Amino acid sequence: MTGAGVFPFPVKGEVAVFRGELYRARGAVGLWPYVELLPEPGRPAPEGVASREAADGSVGYPVPLERLEAWYAVTWTFRWHGEPFECTAATPTTLSGNYLSSDEHFAKEHLKRRVIGYRGIFPRDEATELEQHRKDRLQPRHILVRRLAEVDHFRPKTYAVHRGRTYPAAAEANASGLIALTTGDDRPEDLIADPRDPSGEHFLAAPEQLDAWYRTHWTFRWKGGSFDAVGTVDGRIKGVYTNGSWGFADNMMLTPETGPDGVHTQYTVQAGLKNVTDLEQHRTDLPASPSVSTIRVIAS
């Protein structure tokens, strides 16, 4: 991956290493947590990886995290007349950059004004201390994937406890008043096999046969608003707004969606875990809903 002259490519962006080769890269939207490799024009596609067209028409080659040797964000800095710049473009003879210091006299004398700050284009042979900076993307993504898996992506869940063992369970009893438990390879002798389940992994229990039957769900706050978590999308926690303020929903540009009843509108957000606070898990006992307990988990 080399650009104009001896300047490595890209000047700024993300890079992944796959089978010893460097590629421009990006997170694969809609195929999280995959990373898409983006070969430069004229370069062969990565061998053994199927292409995928993104919503904007661009083509990438999605690879799972475990097949990458590295994935990181790249920036470059340099100095011109002793002053620091972040490189924004490179040609065989010039470097362009945004000014990183605050000397107004120097900036007004030598640079062009940006909306915020200053920029300039400089002869390459006048630039010094050209340096690459990398920010790892791979290890933080592995950590996030594990964390979301541990809490089942913050989805609401229902469980039943039978003879001291906890099973995923239906949120409502069937027409006969029985509760379906997903038991897997376990075969509780005192429960009835669900005749509607050909896999044989579901058994039916009466409420009085259970030690507990409860629902768990998560809540959090984002930008001061309260939300019920309903899962994750591309590694971001998705929540349904619960405060009921139209002004907040409008100002924060929450996404309107049709609610579960198919009639009313609910407003949702997809937020990075680092941007949420008061992330809490709640348990509600189902037979008579006598109590609700809460466990707080700090978002980090």
PDB file of all heavy atoms in Angstrom, residues 14-45:
ATOM      1  N   GLU A  14      -8.407   3.687   7.712  1.00  0.00           N
ATOM      2  CA  GLU A  14      -8.238   2.425   8.414  1.00  0.00           C
ATOM      3  C   GLU A  14      -7.531   1.420   7.521  1.00  0.00           C
ATOM      4  O   GLU A  14      -7.734   1.396   6.302  1.00  0.00           O
ATOM      5  CB  GLU A  14      -9.597   1.879   8.859  1.00  0.00           C
ATOM      6  CG  GLU A  14     -10.277   2.765   9.890  1.00  0.00           C
ATOM      7  CD  GLU A  14     -11.567   2.166  10.416  1.00  0.00           C
ATOM      8  OE1 GLU A  14     -11.925   1.045  10.001  1.00  0.00           O
ATOM      9  OE2 GLU A  14     -12.222   2.826  11.241  1.00  0.00           O
ATOM     10  N   VAL A  15      -6.715   0.586   8.145  1.00  0.00           N
ATOM     11  CA  VAL A  15      -5.913  -0.411   7.447  1.00  0.00           C
ATOM     12  C   VAL A  15      -6.102  -1.753   8.137  1.00  0.00           C
ATOM     13  O   VAL A  15      -6.124  -1.821   9.373  1.00  0.00           O
ATOM     14  CB  VAL A  15      -4.421  -0.023   7.452  1.00  0.00           C
ATOM     15  CG1 VAL A  15      -3.571  -1.141   6.864  1.00  0.00           C
ATOM     16  CG2 VAL A  15      -4.198   1.266   6.672  1.00  0.00           C
ATOM     17  N   ALA A  16      -6.258  -2.819   7.353  1.00  0.00           N
ATOM     18  CA  ALA A  16      -6.321  -4.172   7.889  1.00  0.00           C
ATOM     19  C   ALA A  16      -5.237  -5.015   7.237  1.00  0.00           C
ATOM     20  O   ALA A  16      -4.896  -4.813   6.066  1.00  0.00           O
ATOM     21  CB  ALA A  16      -7.694  -4.792   7.639  1.00  0.00           C
ATOM     22  N   VAL A  17      -4.697  -5.959   8.006  1.00  0.00           N
ATOM     23  CA  VAL A  17      -3.687  -6.876   7.497  1.00  0.00           C
ATOM     24  C   VAL A  17      -4.325  -8.250   7.402  1.00  0.00           C
ATOM     25  O   VAL A  17      -4.799  -8.811   8.401  1.00  0.00           O
ATOM     26  CB  VAL A  17      -2.455  -6.925   8.415  1.00  0.00           C
ATOM     27  CG1 VAL A  17      -1.396  -7.861   7.825  1.00  0.00           C
ATOM     28  CG2 VAL A  17      -1.887  -5.528   8.621  1.00  0.00           C
ATOM     29  N   PHE A  18      -4.359  -8.786   6.181  1.00  0.00           N
ATOM     30  CA  PHE A  18      -4.980 -10.085   5.907  1.00  0.00           C
ATOM     31  C   PHE A  18      -4.001 -10.921   5.101  1.00  0.00           C
ATOM     32  O   PHE A  18      -3.589 -10.519   4.019  1.00  0.00           O
ATOM     33  CB  PHE A  18      -6.289  -9.884   5.141  1.00  0.00           C
ATOM     34  CG  PHE A  18      -6.975 -11.152   4.733  1.00  0.00           C
ATOM     35  CD1 PHE A  18      -7.505 -12.020   5.680  1.00  0.00           C
ATOM     36  CD2 PHE A  18      -7.110 -11.483   3.383  1.00  0.00           C
ATOM     37  CE1 PHE A  18      -8.154 -13.187   5.292  1.00  0.00           C
ATOM     38  CE2 PHE A  18      -7.745 -12.642   2.990  1.00  0.00           C
ATOM     39  CZ  PHE A  18      -8.267 -13.498   3.946  1.00  0.00           C
ATOM     40  N   ARG A  19      -3.592 -12.065   5.658  1.00  0.00           N
ATOM     41  CA  ARG A  19      -2.611 -12.936   5.018  1.00  0.00           C
ATOM     42  C   ARG A  19      -1.335 -12.186   4.650  1.00  0.00           C
ATOM     43  O   ARG A  19      -0.775 -12.363   3.574  1.00  0.00           O
ATOM     44  CB  ARG A  19      -3.215 -13.616   3.792  1.00  0.00           C
ATOM     45  CG  ARG A  19      -4.355 -14.582   4.118  1.00  0.00           C
ATOM     46  CD  ARG A  19      -4.936 -15.195   2.867  1.00  0.00           C
ATOM     47  NE  ARG A  19      -5.993 -16.151   3.206  1.00  0.00           N
ATOM     48  CZ  ARG A  19      -6.784 -16.742   2.308  1.00  0.00           C
ATOM     49  NH1 ARG A  19      -6.618 -16.456   1.014  1.00  0.00           N
ATOM     50  NH2 ARG A  19      -7.705 -17.604   2.673  1.00  0.00           N
ATOM     51  N   GLY A  20      -0.932 -11.311   5.553  1.00  0.00           N
ATOM     52  CA  GLY A  20       0.314 -10.579   5.355  1.00  0.00           C
ATOM     53  C   GLY A  20       0.217  -9.386   4.436  1.00  0.00           C
ATOM     54  O   GLY A  20       1.204  -8.655   4.269  1.00  0.00           O
ATOM     55  N   GLU A  21      -0.947  -9.138   3.845  1.00  0.00           N
ATOM     56  CA  GLU A  21      -1.131  -8.014   2.927  1.00  0.00           C
ATOM     57  C   GLU A  21      -1.924  -6.903   3.603  1.00  0.00           C
ATOM     58  O   GLU A  21      -2.858  -7.164   4.373  1.00  0.00           O
ATOM     59  CB  GLU A  21      -1.872  -8.465   1.664  1.00  0.00           C
ATOM     60  CG  GLU A  21      -1.116  -9.487   0.827  1.00  0.00           C
ATOM     61  CD  GLU A  21       0.047  -8.854   0.090  1.00  0.00           C
ATOM     62  OE1 GLU A  21      -0.017  -7.642  -0.194  1.00  0.00           O
ATOM     63  OE2 GLU A  21       1.018  -9.574  -0.191  1.00  0.00           O
ATOM     64  N   LEU A  22      -1.555  -5.641   3.301  1.00  0.00           N
ATOM     65  CA  LEU A  22      -2.262  -4.494   3.841  1.00  0.00           C
ATOM     66  C   LEU A  22      -3.340  -4.018   2.878  1.00  0.00           C
ATOM     67  O   LEU A  22      -3.107  -3.931   1.668  1.00  0.00           O
ATOM     68  CB  LEU A  22      -1.280  -3.338   4.112  1.00  0.00           C
ATOM     69  CG  LEU A  22      -0.543  -3.350   5.460  1.00  0.00           C
ATOM     70  CD1 LEU A  22       0.408  -4.528   5.538  1.00  0.00           C
ATOM     71  CD2 LEU A  22       0.204  -2.035   5.655  1.00  0.00           C
ATOM     72  N   TYR A  23      -4.513  -3.712   3.435  1.00  0.00           N
ATOM     73  CA  TYR A  23      -5.631  -3.212   2.643  1.00  0.00           C
ATOM     74  C   TYR A  23      -6.263  -2.026   3.365  1.00  0.00           C
ATOM     75  O   TYR A  23      -6.283  -1.990   4.604  1.00  0.00           O
ATOM     76  CB  TYR A  23      -6.727  -4.279   2.486  1.00  0.00           C
ATOM     77  CG  TYR A  23      -6.328  -5.513   1.735  1.00  0.00           C
ATOM     78  CD1 TYR A  23      -5.733  -6.585   2.400  1.00  0.00           C
ATOM     79  CD2 TYR A  23      -6.549  -5.623   0.363  1.00  0.00           C
ATOM     80  CE1 TYR A  23      -5.381  -7.740   1.718  1.00  0.00           C
ATOM     81  CE2 TYR A  23      -6.203  -6.773  -0.329  1.00  0.00           C
ATOM     82  CZ  TYR A  23      -5.615  -7.828   0.356  1.00  0.00           C
ATOM     83  OH  TYR A  23      -5.263  -8.974  -0.319  1.00  0.00           O
ATOM     84  N   ARG A  24      -6.775  -1.075   2.599  1.00  0.00           N
ATOM     85  CA  ARG A  24      -7.709  -0.126   3.196  1.00  0.00           C
ATOM     86  C   ARG A  24      -8.890  -0.929   3.732  1.00  0.00           C
ATOM     87  O   ARG A  24      -9.244  -1.969   3.181  1.00  0.00           O
ATOM     88  CB  ARG A  24      -8.185   0.905   2.181  1.00  0.00           C
ATOM     89  CG  ARG A  24      -7.130   1.914   1.782  1.00  0.00           C
ATOM     90  CD  ARG A  24      -7.722   3.037   0.940  1.00  0.00           C
ATOM     91  NE  ARG A  24      -8.372   2.534  -0.272  1.00  0.00           N
ATOM     92  CZ  ARG A  24      -9.662   2.611  -0.530  1.00  0.00           C
ATOM     93  NH1 ARG A  24     -10.484   3.190   0.340  1.00  0.00           N
ATOM     94  NH2 ARG A  24     -10.163   2.137  -1.653  1.00  0.00           N
ATOM     95  N   ALA A  25      -9.532  -0.447   4.797  1.00  0.00           N
ATOM     96  CA  ALA A  25     -10.571  -1.250   5.440  1.00  0.00           C
ATOM     97  C   ALA A  25     -11.639  -0.362   6.060  1.00  0.00           C
ATOM     98  O   ALA A  25     -11.448   0.841   6.238  1.00  0.00           O
ATOM     99  CB  ALA A  25      -9.952  -2.153   6.503  1.00  0.00           C
ATOM    100  N   ARG A  26     -12.755  -0.988   6.399  1.00  0.00           N
ATOM    101  CA  ARG A  26     -13.840  -0.309   7.110  1.00  0.00           C
ATOM    102  C   ARG A  26     -14.675  -1.372   7.807  1.00  0.00           C
ATOM    103  O   ARG A  26     -14.666  -2.548   7.426  1.00  0.00           O
ATOM    104  CB  ARG A  26     -14.734   0.477   6.142  1.00  0.00           C
ATOM    105  CG  ARG A  26     -15.501  -0.415   5.158  1.00  0.00           C
ATOM    106  CD  ARG A  26     -16.231   0.395   4.119  1.00  0.00           C
ATOM    107  NE  ARG A  26     -16.897  -0.471   3.134  1.00  0.00           N
ATOM    108  CZ  ARG A  26     -17.356  -0.069   1.963  1.00  0.00           C
ATOM    109  NH1 ARG A  26     -17.214   1.211   1.606  1.00  0.00           N
ATOM    110  NH2 ARG A  26     -17.956  -0.908   1.132  1.00  0.00           N
ATOM    111  N   GLY A  27     -15.398  -0.970   8.833  1.00  0.00           N
ATOM    112  CA  GLY A  27     -16.344  -1.877   9.455  1.00  0.00           C
ATOM    113  C   GLY A  27     -17.450  -2.214   8.475  1.00  0.00           C
ATOM    114  O   GLY A  27     -17.910  -1.355   7.710  1.00  0.00           O
ATOM    115  N   ALA A  28     -17.885  -3.468   8.478  1.00  0.00           N
ATOM    116  CA  ALA A  28     -18.902  -3.923   7.527  1.00  0.00           C
ATOM    117  C   ALA A  28     -20.290  -3.648   8.093  1.00  0.00           C
ATOM    118  O   ALA A  28     -20.816  -4.433   8.888  1.00  0.00           O
ATOM    119  CB  ALA A  28     -18.720  -5.406   7.228  1.00  0.00           C
ATOM    120  N   VAL A  29     -20.890  -2.522   7.701  1.00  0.00           N
ATOM    121  CA  VAL A  29     -22.219  -2.159   8.188  1.00  0.00           C
ATOM    122  C   VAL A  29     -23.224  -3.227   7.768  1.00  0.00           C
ATOM    123  O   VAL A  29     -23.254  -3.660   6.621  1.00  0.00           O
ATOM    124  CB  VAL A  29     -22.643  -0.781   7.627  1.00  0.00           C
ATOM    125  CG1 VAL A  29     -24.069  -0.451   8.037  1.00  0.00           C
ATOM    126  CG2 VAL A  29     -21.684   0.296   8.109  1.00  0.00           C
ATOM    127  N   GLY A  30     -24.034  -3.672   8.731  1.00  0.00           N
ATOM    128  CA  GLY A  30     -25.020  -4.699   8.447  1.00  0.00           C
ATOM    129  C   GLY A  30     -24.462  -6.107   8.488  1.00  0.00           C
ATOM    130  O   GLY A  30     -25.211  -7.071   8.333  1.00  0.00           O
ATOM    131  N   LEU A  31     -23.152  -6.233   8.696  1.00  0.00           N
ATOM    132  CA  LEU A  31     -22.522  -7.549   8.796  1.00  0.00           C
ATOM    133  C   LEU A  31     -21.545  -7.530   9.974  1.00  0.00           C
ATOM    134  O   LEU A  31     -20.498  -8.139   9.947  1.00  0.00           O
ATOM    135  CB  LEU A  31     -21.803  -7.907   7.491  1.00  0.00           C
ATOM    136  CG  LEU A  31     -21.433  -9.377   7.269  1.00  0.00           C
ATOM    137  CD1 LEU A  31     -22.684 -10.250   7.255  1.00  0.00           C
ATOM    138  CD2 LEU A  31     -20.659  -9.545   5.972  1.00  0.00           C
ATOM    139  N   TRP A  32     -21.895  -6.780  10.989  1.00  0.00           N
ATOM    140  CA  TRP A  32     -21.058  -6.636  12.168  1.00  0.00           C
ATOM    141  C   TRP A  32     -20.865  -7.985  12.846  1.00  0.00           C
ATOM    142  O   TRP A  32     -21.811  -8.779  12.891  1.00  0.00           O
ATOM    143  CB  TRP A  32     -21.732  -5.655  13.121  1.00  0.00           C
ATOM    144  CG  TRP A  32     -20.877  -5.163  14.235  1.00  0.00           C
ATOM    145  CD1 TRP A  32     -20.077  -4.069  14.210  1.00  0.00           C
ATOM    146  CD2 TRP A  32     -20.749  -5.730  15.535  1.00  0.00           C
ATOM    147  NE1 TRP A  32     -19.462  -3.917  15.420  1.00  0.00           N
ATOM    148  CE2 TRP A  32     -19.853  -4.923  16.259  1.00  0.00           C
ATOM    149  CE3 TRP A  32     -21.301  -6.845  16.162  1.00  0.00           C
ATOM    150  CZ2 TRP A  32     -19.499  -5.186  17.567  1.00  0.00           C
ATOM    151  CZ3 TRP A  32     -20.940  -7.121  17.465  1.00  0.00           C
ATOM    152  CH2 TRP A  32     -20.055  -6.296  18.151  1.00  0.00           C
ATOM    153  N   PRO A  33     -19.648  -8.312  13.356  1.00  0.00           N
ATOM    154  CA  PRO A  33     -18.467  -7.459  13.487  1.00  0.00           C
ATOM    155  C   PRO A  33     -17.432  -7.639  12.384  1.00  0.00           C
ATOM    156  O   PRO A  33     -16.245  -7.457  12.613  1.00  0.00           O
ATOM    157  CB  PRO A  33     -17.903  -7.923  14.830  1.00  0.00           C
ATOM    158  CG  PRO A  33     -18.189  -9.391  14.840  1.00  0.00           C
ATOM    159  CD  PRO A  33     -19.513  -9.555  14.135  1.00  0.00           C
ATOM    160  N   TYR A  34     -17.831  -8.028  11.201  1.00  0.00           N
ATOM    161  CA  TYR A  34     -16.883  -8.217  10.098  1.00  0.00           C
ATOM    162  C   TYR A  34     -16.196  -6.892   9.730  1.00  0.00           C
ATOM    163  O   TYR A  34     -16.711  -5.806   9.979  1.00  0.00           O
ATOM    164  CB  TYR A  34     -17.605  -8.751   8.865  1.00  0.00           C
ATOM    165  CG  TYR A  34     -17.845 -10.242   8.875  1.00  0.00           C
ATOM    166  CD1 TYR A  34     -18.593 -10.859   9.882  1.00  0.00           C
ATOM    167  CD2 TYR A  34     -17.330 -11.053   7.871  1.00  0.00           C
ATOM    168  CE1 TYR A  34     -18.824 -12.226   9.889  1.00  0.00           C
ATOM    169  CE2 TYR A  34     -17.560 -12.427   7.863  1.00  0.00           C
ATOM    170  CZ  TYR A  34     -18.303 -13.006   8.882  1.00  0.00           C
ATOM    171  OH  TYR A  34     -18.515 -14.357   8.874  1.00  0.00           O
ATOM    172  N   VAL A  35     -15.040  -7.035   9.103  1.00  0.00           N
ATOM    173  CA  VAL A  35     -14.301  -5.897   8.551  1.00  0.00           C
ATOM    174  C   VAL A  35     -14.210  -6.089   7.043  1.00  0.00           C
ATOM    175  O   VAL A  35     -13.931  -7.196   6.568  1.00  0.00           O
ATOM    176  CB  VAL A  35     -12.883  -5.811   9.160  1.00  0.00           C
ATOM    177  CG1 VAL A  35     -12.080  -4.697   8.494  1.00  0.00           C
ATOM    178  CG2 VAL A  35     -12.966  -5.588  10.662  1.00  0.00           C
ATOM    179  N   GLU A  36     -14.478  -5.036   6.285  1.00  0.00           N
ATOM    180  CA  GLU A  36     -14.404  -5.121   4.828  1.00  0.00           C
ATOM    181  C   GLU A  36     -13.055  -4.624   4.324  1.00  0.00           C
ATOM    182  O   GLU A  36     -12.631  -3.519   4.682  1.00  0.00           O
ATOM    183  CB  GLU A  36     -15.535  -4.316   4.183  1.00  0.00           C
ATOM    184  CG  GLU A  36     -16.881  -4.997   4.316  1.00  0.00           C
ATOM    185  CD  GLU A  36     -17.968  -4.280   3.537  1.00  0.00           C
ATOM    186  OE1 GLU A  36     -17.955  -3.051   3.482  1.00  0.00           O
ATOM    187  OE2 GLU A  36     -18.846  -4.975   2.991  1.00  0.00           O
ATOM    188  N   LEU A  37     -12.419  -5.440   3.496  1.00  0.00           N
ATOM    189  CA  LEU A  37     -11.181  -5.044   2.834  1.00  0.00           C
ATOM    190  C   LEU A  37     -11.526  -4.294   1.561  1.00  0.00           C
ATOM    191  O   LEU A  37     -12.454  -4.665   0.836  1.00  0.00           O
ATOM    192  CB  LEU A  37     -10.341  -6.276   2.510  1.00  0.00           C
ATOM    193  CG  LEU A  37     -10.079  -7.246   3.676  1.00  0.00           C
ATOM    194  CD1 LEU A  37      -9.241  -8.428   3.193  1.00  0.00           C
ATOM    195  CD2 LEU A  37      -9.404  -6.534   4.834  1.00  0.00           C
ATOM    196  N   LEU A  38     -10.764  -3.243   1.266  1.00  0.00           N
ATOM    197  CA  LEU A  38     -11.056  -2.374   0.118  1.00  0.00           C
ATOM    198  C   LEU A  38      -9.802  -2.257  -0.755  1.00  0.00           C
ATOM    199  O   LEU A  38      -9.023  -1.305  -0.621  1.00  0.00           O
ATOM    200  CB  LEU A  38     -11.496  -0.990   0.605  1.00  0.00           C
ATOM    201  CG  LEU A  38     -12.666  -0.959   1.601  1.00  0.00           C
ATOM    202  CD1 LEU A  38     -12.828   0.430   2.179  1.00  0.00           C
ATOM    203  CD2 LEU A  38     -13.943  -1.434   0.939  1.00  0.00           C
ATOM    204  N   PRO A  39      -9.578  -3.211  -1.652  1.00  0.00           N
ATOM    205  CA  PRO A  39      -8.383  -3.145  -2.506  1.00  0.00           C
ATOM    206  C   PRO A  39      -8.412  -1.897  -3.387  1.00  0.00           C
ATOM    207  O   PRO A  39      -9.467  -1.473  -3.863  1.00  0.00           O
ATOM    208  CB  PRO A  39      -8.482  -4.415  -3.368  1.00  0.00           C
ATOM    209  CG  PRO A  39      -9.436  -5.303  -2.639  1.00  0.00           C
ATOM    210  CD  PRO A  39     -10.398  -4.404  -1.931  1.00  0.00           C
ATOM    211  N   GLU A  40      -7.227  -1.303  -3.599  1.00  0.00           N
ATOM    212  CA  GLU A  40      -7.156  -0.143  -4.478  1.00  0.00           C
ATOM    213  C   GLU A  40      -7.452  -0.563  -5.917  1.00  0.00           C
ATOM    214  O   GLU A  40      -7.317  -1.738  -6.262  1.00  0.00           O
ATOM    215  CB  GLU A  40      -5.762   0.495  -4.425  1.00  0.00           C
ATOM    216  CG  GLU A  40      -5.356   0.962  -3.048  1.00  0.00           C
ATOM    217  CD  GLU A  40      -4.510  -0.053  -2.325  1.00  0.00           C
ATOM    218  OE1 GLU A  40      -3.301  -0.156  -2.585  1.00  0.00           O
ATOM    219  OE2 GLU A  40      -5.079  -0.771  -1.488  1.00  0.00           O
ATOM    220  N   PRO A  41      -7.892   0.374  -6.751  1.00  0.00           N
ATOM    221  CA  PRO A  41      -8.161   0.056  -8.162  1.00  0.00           C
ATOM    222  C   PRO A  41      -6.961  -0.609  -8.822  1.00  0.00           C
ATOM    223  O   PRO A  41      -5.819  -0.170  -8.671  1.00  0.00           O
ATOM    224  CB  PRO A  41      -8.449   1.432  -8.773  1.00  0.00           C
ATOM    225  CG  PRO A  41      -8.959   2.248  -7.628  1.00  0.00           C
ATOM    226  CD  PRO A  41      -8.190   1.785  -6.425  1.00  0.00           C
ATOM    227  N   GLY A  42      -7.223  -1.686  -9.549  1.00  0.00           N
ATOM    228  CA  GLY A  42      -6.169  -2.403 -10.248  1.00  0.00           C
ATOM    229  C   GLY A  42      -5.494  -3.476  -9.426  1.00  0.00           C
ATOM    230  O   GLY A  42      -4.722  -4.280  -9.956  1.00  0.00           O
ATOM    231  N   ARG A  43      -5.783  -3.507  -8.142  1.00  0.00           N
ATOM    232  CA  ARG A  43      -5.182  -4.519  -7.282  1.00  0.00           C
ATOM    233  C   ARG A  43      -6.099  -5.734  -7.209  1.00  0.00           C
ATOM    234  O   ARG A  43      -7.322  -5.595  -7.113  1.00  0.00           O
ATOM    235  CB  ARG A  43      -4.960  -3.961  -5.877  1.00  0.00           C
ATOM    236  CG  ARG A  43      -4.254  -4.935  -4.943  1.00  0.00           C
ATOM    237  CD  ARG A  43      -4.063  -4.324  -3.579  1.00  0.00           C
ATOM    238  NE  ARG A  43      -3.404  -5.248  -2.668  1.00  0.00           N
ATOM    239  CZ  ARG A  43      -3.235  -5.025  -1.375  1.00  0.00           C
ATOM    240  NH1 ARG A  43      -3.671  -3.894  -0.843  1.00  0.00           N
ATOM    241  NH2 ARG A  43      -2.627  -5.906  -0.609  1.00  0.00           N
ATOM    242  N   PRO A  44      -5.550  -6.957  -7.227  1.00  0.00           N
ATOM    243  CA  PRO A  44      -6.388  -8.158  -7.169  1.00  0.00           C
ATOM    244  C   PRO A  44      -7.202  -8.213  -5.884  1.00  0.00           C
ATOM    245  O   PRO A  44      -6.759  -7.734  -4.824  1.00  0.00           O
ATOM    246  CB  PRO A  44      -5.374  -9.308  -7.241  1.00  0.00           C
ATOM    247  CG  PRO A  44      -4.152  -8.710  -7.834  1.00  0.00           C
ATOM    248  CD  PRO A  44      -4.114  -7.281  -7.389  1.00  0.00           C
ATOM    249  N   ALA A  45      -8.370  -8.808  -5.987  1.00  0.00           N
ATOM    250  CA  ALA A  45      -9.197  -8.999  -4.799  1.00  0.00           C
ATOM    251  C   ALA A  45      -8.530 -10.016  -3.875  1.00  0.00           C
ATOM    252  O   ALA A  45      -7.785 -10.883  -4.330  1.00  0.00           O
ATOM    253  CB  ALA A  45     -10.583  -9.489  -5.206  1.00  0.00           C
TER     254      ALA A  45
END
